[in-house]
Structure formats: structure tokens, C-alpha cells
Amino acid sequence: MQVNLPKYLMILVALSTFSPAALAGGVASPAVHQGYDLLSKCDYPRAIFVLSAALKTNSGDVMARRYLAVALNHTGNASKAAQHMELVIKMEPGKAADLALLGHMYLLSGEHTHAISRFKQSLTLAPESDDARWGLAAAYLAVGDASKATATCNDGLAVCRDLNARKQLVRILSTIRTTAQTCEPDSRG
């Protein structure tokens, strides 16, 4: 099953959670600020250029790598985006939002088992993560496990605070119901 995520989701998660101001225990480089600005304007090709150049100068720049992953994802290169996010997680382990972001990248690239793993890790660190919860439900649906997808959706709807995440959970439940109805044998005999 192909999972279509809202276009805004990946950039919204990255920009709201990981702005240079929010992340900078130190000072973000000018290239990171420029890359962030380009991402916020949805100018992904230029953001990729600027952030790739920043990483050539400093391969350990976690913010540049994170933003590059988001830009790559938006240009349809979810696999390469996930590779960069894996490096981010190695450099800064234990961030639930990074794990959820990586889970969504794996989901988009069709690597559903990896997505499930990363979403579960994110929820272990931050059980309140609505994005990780609906992502996990979508990943379960993508691997054909409708019972786990349904349970995850129902659990999520009981605690979910984010309207967009609630909409995704409802959409997943609707897909499960529609699929179940079309797969039922015809009782007219």
C-alpha cells in the first residue's frame, strides 16, 4: 500500500521542532540559517545545494544534516533523506522527534519495517507524540497488519491532541474499513 503523507508534514515537523533558535545550544552557521529560510519557503533544490555545501565544510553539523534530510525528502528522495537522518540519530541519540521524522521518511520510501521500529522508539521516548502514533498506524497498515493499525488508531484517537494527526488516524481507520468491505465475500451466492 502506498502511504501519502500531507505535503506540509515533513517540513512542519522539522521547522517547528528543530528551528536553529530552538536547537542552538551553540550558534548555528549562516549556511544553516540560509538552508532553514529556503526550507521555510519550500525552495528545496536551493536548500539542498546550500546544506550540502555546509556539510562539505563541516560534516558534523547536525542541523545542516537534519535540514538536508527534510529537503531531500521533499524532492522525492526519501531513501537518501533517511540515510542522513540515521546519521543525525547517531550524532544526537535519544530525540523522539528525530525518530518520528525518520519513521516518516522510511514510510515514504517503502521501508515499512524500519518505519515501525523508529516510530516505536519515538513513542517509547515520547508517548505523547501524535505524529509518531499516526505514523505507526500507517506503517502497520502498509505491512498489512490491519488489527495493529486499528488498535493504534483507536488508542491514538483516545489521547491525540493534534487535529492533523487525528485526521490522519481517522483516514487510516476509514481505509481499513473500506478495504475490509471490498474484501468480504459476496453473500448473494
Side-chain angles (χ1 to χ4, degrees):
M1 170 192 172
Q2 177 65 33
V3 178
N4 295 314
L5 301 179
K7 179 91 171 142
Y8 67 87
L9 177 69
M10 299 302 291
I11 189 103
L12 180 66
V13 170
L15 295 181
S16 63
T17 308
F18 302 117
S19 70
L23 287 174
V27 176
S29 72
V32 168
H33 283 284
Q34 183 182 6
Y36 177 85
D37 289 341
L38 291 166
L39 278 173
S40 65
K41 295 173 185 170
C42 300
D43 190 348
Y44 307 119
R46 285 184 48 210
I48 290 169
F49 178 79
V50 167
L51 295 165
S52 294
L55 287 172
K56 286 179 184 169
T57 303
N58 178 5
S59 64
D61 189 330
V62 177
M63 283 189 283
R65 192 167 300 280
R66 183 180 288 115
Y67 292 147
L68 177 60
V70 171
L72 287 165
N73 191 72
H74 275 289
T75 60
N77 200 338
S79 292
K80 189 162 183 152
Q83 291 171 2
H84 281 282
M85 281 306 297
E86 285 289 356
L87 290 172
V88 167
I89 288 169
K90 286 179 183 170
M91 292 153 76
E92 288 186 352
K95 290 193 175 183
D98 277 341
L99 290 162
L101 189 59
L102 178 57
H104 284 289
M105 289 173 180
Y106 278 136
L107 190 59
L108 287 170
S109 68
E111 297 180 58
H112 304 123
T113 304
H114 290 305
I116 290 168
S117 173
R118 291 310 192 179
F119 287 132
K120 284 181 172 181
Q121 289 172 333
S122 178
L123 286 166
T124 298
L125 293 170
E128 71 283 357
S129 175
D130 295 334
D131 286 330
R133 191 171 319 283
W134 79 259
L136 180 60
Y140 279 140
L141 182 59
V143 297
D145 195 335
S147 64
K148 283 186 181 177
T150 300
T152 302
C153 285
N154 288 333
D155 292 346
L157 287 171
V159 298
C160 188
R161 300 171 317 242
D162 180 74
L163 180 60
N164 289 318
R166 288 184 71 77
K167 287 179 183 177
Q168 291 301 323
L169 291 167
V170 169
R171 183 187 59 80
I172 293 165
L173 282 173
S174 176
T175 299
I176 293 167
R177 287 185 192 114
T178 301
T179 303
Q181 289 172 353
T182 58
C183 292
E184 290 177 2
D186 190 353
S187 60
R188 293 178 283 177

